[in-house]
Amino acid sequence: KVIARSAKTAISQLISRGASKIIVLIDLEDNPCAVEFSECLRSTLQHMYAQVHTVVVAKNRAIENWLIADISALQKLNGRFTVVPELVNAVSVRADEHQHAARLLNRCAIRQSYHKGSDPQKITANIDLSAAALKSRSLRKFLREAGDSRFI
């Protein structure tokens, strides 16, 4: 309920601008079950804002898990990141499962540590969403909810 209340201003603004669907994107962090966590938050939001369809997508772990899902995006930033074997191993099957993606990005960073403010923008400018989505179930869910026809 705290999360739902903290989103009140933003959701109210979106509704006043005519939004018919709200997608809430939130880090799962240490919650044990994405489905239960998402459904609880969705139910609370739907009760508070019955006039709009609400969907919650809990990113498995954090946004950094999506950022490491496409290694080629990091390779394109070869002056900023170097792809270490640990990264390749971490995302060989599912990037969602790596518990410390931000730390891994720190290990890959050149000259200065991973910056949560500016580095995601650089990485996403180079990311292949289809490739990243293959390694991240939560990213596929977000893209599906956002209406990307490749994932419907």
Side-chain angles (χ1 to χ4, degrees), residues 8-19:
K8 182 178 181 178
T9 301
I11 291 174
S12 295
Q13 287 175 351
L14 291 168
I15 291 170
S16 71
R17 293 179 186 161

Side-chain angles (χ1 to χ4, degrees), residues 1-12 22-31 36-46 48-49 54-58:
K1 290 186 178 186
V2 172
I3 295 170
R5 282 194 301 264
S6 68
K8 182 178 181 178
T9 301
I11 291 174
S12 295
I22 305 286
I23 302 173
V24 177
L25 183 61
I26 191 164
D27 286 350
L28 181 60
E29 297 291 350
D30 293 324
N31 287 290
E36 185 178 307
F37 176 65
S38 297
E39 182 51 32
C40 180
L41 181 54
R42 188 209 59 77
S43 177
T44 301
L45 289 167
Q46 197 64 61
M48 292 172 68
Y49 307 101
T54 305
V55 175
V56 174
V57 176

Side-chain angles (χ1 to χ4, degrees), residues 35-141:
V35 174
E36 185 178 307
F37 176 65
S38 297
E39 182 51 32
C40 180
L41 181 54
R42 188 209 59 77
S43 177
T44 301
L45 289 167
Q46 197 64 61
H47 178 73
M48 292 172 68
Y49 307 101
Q51 70 272 38
V52 66
H53 177 63
T54 305
V55 175
V56 174
V57 176
K59 298 183 303 294
N60 196 347
R61 308 281 179 230
I63 189 71
E64 287 79 13
N65 291 82
W66 291 3
L67 299 177
I68 64 171
D70 178 22
I71 292 175
S72 70
L74 295 170
Q75 289 171 325
K76 291 174 187 169
L77 297 168
N78 59 3
R80 178 69 188 108
F81 295 99
T82 185
V83 175
V84 297
E86 185 182 353
L87 172 64
V88 175
N89 293 338
V91 301
S92 63
V93 179
R94 293 223 8 232
D96 283 348
E97 298 303 319
H98 193 65
Q99 291 189 355
H100 304 289
R103 285 188 207 163
L104 185 51
L105 284 167
N106 252 338
R107 286 190 204 103
C108 294
I110 298 171
R111 287 188 290 279
Q112 59 181 329
S113 56
Y114 168 72
H115 189 271
K116 242 179 150 31
S118 59
D119 283 331
Q121 188 175 8
K122 294 172 189 169
I123 297 167
T124 56
N126 290 287
I127 205 162
D128 175 347
L129 284 175
S130 293
L134 289 174
K135 305 283 182 162
S136 173
R137 188 172 63 186
S138 61
L139 178 56
R140 285 192 303 274
K141 177 173 175 42

